[in-house]
Every structure is written in structure tokens, then in C-alpha cells.
Amino acid sequence: MSQVSFLNRQGLYLRPDPARVIVRPFKPATEPRDLNPTDKMRANHIVDRVLGLSPEAVADQLADVLDNFQGRHRNLLERFEARADEMEDAFATHGLFSKTQRQLIGAYFLSEYSFEASALFNPSIVPHPDQSTAPKGGARFIVSLRAIGEGHVSSLTFRTGTIAADGSLAVDPTARLASVPRISHRASGPDGDRVELMFAPEEDLSERVIFPVTDSQSNGIEDARFVRFSDGGRETYYATYTAYSGRAIRSELIETSDFMSFRMTPLRGAAANNKGMALFPRKIGGSYAMIARQDNENLYLVYSDDLYTWEGGRLLLKPQFPWEFVQIGNCGAPIELDEGWLLLTHGVGPVRKYSIGAALLDKRDPSRVLARSVEPLLRPEPSEREGYVPNVVYTCGAMRHNDRVILPYAVSDTFSSFATMRISALIEAMCR
């Protein structure tokens, strides 16, 4: 990567690990969509075959399954039973299953899924809500990442780490296991489902994987842009993300206070019908504010009174320099500095080459652009340009710590790394 002189690459890499797996519903249970008649017929064929086994054979088969999979997942027998319960509406009328029959039947309707086998990229970073173990002069942080597995399905996963007083970074070891949450509440509305998710307290944060759970997300939860939002002394973590159904995209919002329970809500309005929205970390003039790109080319400033409805918008930035002539977009939530709002951007140039730049917005009136980077802060170099999507560096959000900006970024839509920048040098390098 070529870089400006004040950008310090950390030599830390988060790479996809195909050994990390979750269990997910298995076809013919084509979730999250409803089962069609053929699915139900095939499901009942499976049940009939299990019920045709002797009790000894059922026990032997279940023991064999556990020998193969017990150490790879938490509470596997409970998950088998829960899956059988989920499938009950598809089953024909039947007698009471024994406990082992129900567990074995549930196992037939699950599969392992290597959720980050292909890529682990497009990170964002926020301060950890628990700073009790932070090093002196340093801080704990959480990184969110987009993971891609079989079928190009995207999910959301996490890592934790620390920044030391001298600006050096460390990422905590990743948990061996991985788990999906239970759905604690689902409410349907005219804009789609709103869902609430809950992870178990004993699951490490790096175990937690948010996999698509609604029709609008069925092909992916993409590019979450997390921000710690402050409102009257109350802090909430929000992230806009792109929900992809396989047919259409739209922006949705995830919110949490502890990274254990999450609420996912569709966004409304013309500005939410595209991707790449990023929320300011506090209200501006009494309203919520976002950076958005509803026309696939330029950046807009959009306001909302209720956080969930986003209409209109004021044109903020257009492509200006050769490295961004195709289009520009935001690279996460604006970062509040003494000098103004630091907005990281991405630009697309010749041969669809993605680079990362920056703009400085007025703190009171962010529609005023105070400064802008003429050249990218970070761009792909030939030695590190290969990957799932060549010639791309990208981030979904950085954070400030003291006099530095911590920048996690993805390389060629494949893996992620980190850099830090001195704020004073970054501001000095931007043109007015």
C-alpha cells in the first residue's frame, strides 16, 4: 500500500478462517422464506425415515452425530431440539416424538456453515462499552466485520482489542466456537420485520455472529457502519448496514448498548433506498444526521427527527479529483474533532480502483466543507492488490483516541488490517 507519511500501518491482519462454523437451517427448510409444498413433503419423508428406525438405531445415530459435531458447537442437543420445534408446522400429524427422536430429527434440518470462509472485510471500530481493563492511557475497542461464506452470503461478526498509550494496537485471540443469537422478538410492519436478537452471556464477543434473519436480509447483512451515539448522557451503539434480499438492497439500522442484545429495524424514506449511510455520533441542531449517497455518485447530508425516516438531503460532496471520478462514498460515521467533523471517504478511479480519502466539515453546520484531501490517504499497491475483488481498500468506520485516528481497513474484499494517523498531520495535509 502506498501511503501518506503520517499514516502508520500496524502489521495486524484479520484473515478469514474456514474452520469457524455455525449451525444454520438446512434445506428443504428454505429459511428465512416459508416452506413450499415440495419442501414440506421432503421434510416429512425425513421424519418418516427416522420414525422407522428402532429406538436403539435412533440412539446409535444420534451418538454418531455427537461424536462428529459435539466439540464444534455450544449446546448442540438443545439446538437440535429447538430446530425440531421450529419445523413442527411443516410436519404432518404424528405421534409424540421421544427425546432422542426429536434430537435426531432436528439434526437432519441443520447444517454447518463456514461463515467467513471467503472473506473477512469492511471493518468498523468503536470504543468498547467496558473500559475497566483498558491499559493506562489506552482504550479497549470493538471491531465489526463483514464475513462471507458459501453462496456469497454476508453476516456480521466481531473482534475486540486494545490501543496502547503509544498508539500500538493488539487484537484479542478469536474464540474457537461461533454462535448465532436467538430471536427474542419479531414484529412485522409495512416496511418489513423488526427483530430483536439475544446472545448468551457466556459467549465471547468474537463468538457472536449475526446471520440474516429476515426476507430483506436473506442474501446478506453488508457493511455495518458502527458509531457510539451520545444523547443527553445516554450512549447507544448504532450501525447502518445494507440489507440484501437477492433482488433488492436497502438500508437498515442495528442498535445495541452491550453487544449482547441487538435490535434490527428497517429504515424508511428515499435516502434509505440505497447503501452506504453513516450516522453522526450526536444530534446536529436537535436532529439526527446522516451522510448518504442516494444517487450512487455523490454524498449528501440528510436529517431526520425520528432516526428511522430519511428523506431528501443536501448535496455535500461531488467527485473532484481523478482518484474519485467514478463515484465517492462515505467510509463510516463522521468523527468529531476540535477542528470539525472528520469524514473519511472512498473514491473509485480508473479500472475500478478504490482508495480512501477524507474531508473536514464545519462542526456547527456540516453542510460546509472546510477542507478535503487532494490525494488518497490509502490506496491499493500492486504488491497487495490481489483478492476476491482486486484493487480495493475500504473501511466502514474509524475512531479517535487522544491525538490519533485508528483506521481499520479491508484489502481487496478479502482480509482486514489496521493503520493509525496523527490528527494534526492529517488536518495539515488537507487542502482548504
Side-chain angles (χ1 to χ4, degrees), residues 32-33 214-220 243-250:
R33 304 177 182 90
T214 69
D215 283 345
S216 65
Q217 308 164 357
S218 54
N219 273 56
Y244 178 48
S245 68
R247 303 172 303 278
I249 61 170
R250 71 177 185 194

Side-chain angles (χ1 to χ4, degrees), residues 207-283:
E207 286 187 50
R208 302 171 192 172
V209 181
I210 299 179
F211 203 78
V213 292
T214 69
D215 283 345
S216 65
Q217 308 164 357
S218 54
N219 273 56
I221 297 170
E222 303 179 356
D223 301 344
R225 290 162 160 81
F226 270 90
V227 61
R228 184 175 65 179
F229 187 90
S230 298
D231 187 9
R234 178 175 176 265
E235 292 189 338
T236 305
Y237 293 86
Y238 292 110
T240 52
Y241 62 90
T242 301
Y244 178 48
S245 68
R247 303 172 303 278
I249 61 170
R250 71 177 185 194
S251 289
E252 298 186 348
L253 188 74
I254 190 167
E255 51 193 289
T256 183
S257 60
D258 55 9
F259 287 85
M260 185 166 61
S261 60
F262 297 84
R263 178 184 293 119
M264 308 178 85
T265 307
L267 296 179
R268 302 180 293 269
N273 292 330
N274 211 313
K275 59 171 64 178
M277 302 182 76
L279 183 68
F280 279 73
R282 61 173 175 83
K283 290 182 178 179

Side-chain angles (χ1 to χ4, degrees), residues 286-330:
S287 296
Y288 297 97
M290 285 255 205
I291 302 295
R293 192 185 67 195
Q294 26 302 36
D295 63 3
N296 293 314
E297 184 178 7
N298 308 296
L299 283 176
Y300 292 79
L301 176 64
V302 190
Y303 289 99
S304 172
D305 293 329
D306 67 1
L307 185 60
Y308 303 105
T309 305
W310 300 88
E311 301 284 2
R314 179 173 179 177
L315 182 62
L316 182 67
L317 291 169
K318 294 181 177 181
Q320 181 176 345
F321 306 110
W323 56 275
E324 58 185 14
F325 274 178
V326 174
Q327 68 185 44
I328 57 173
N330 76 70

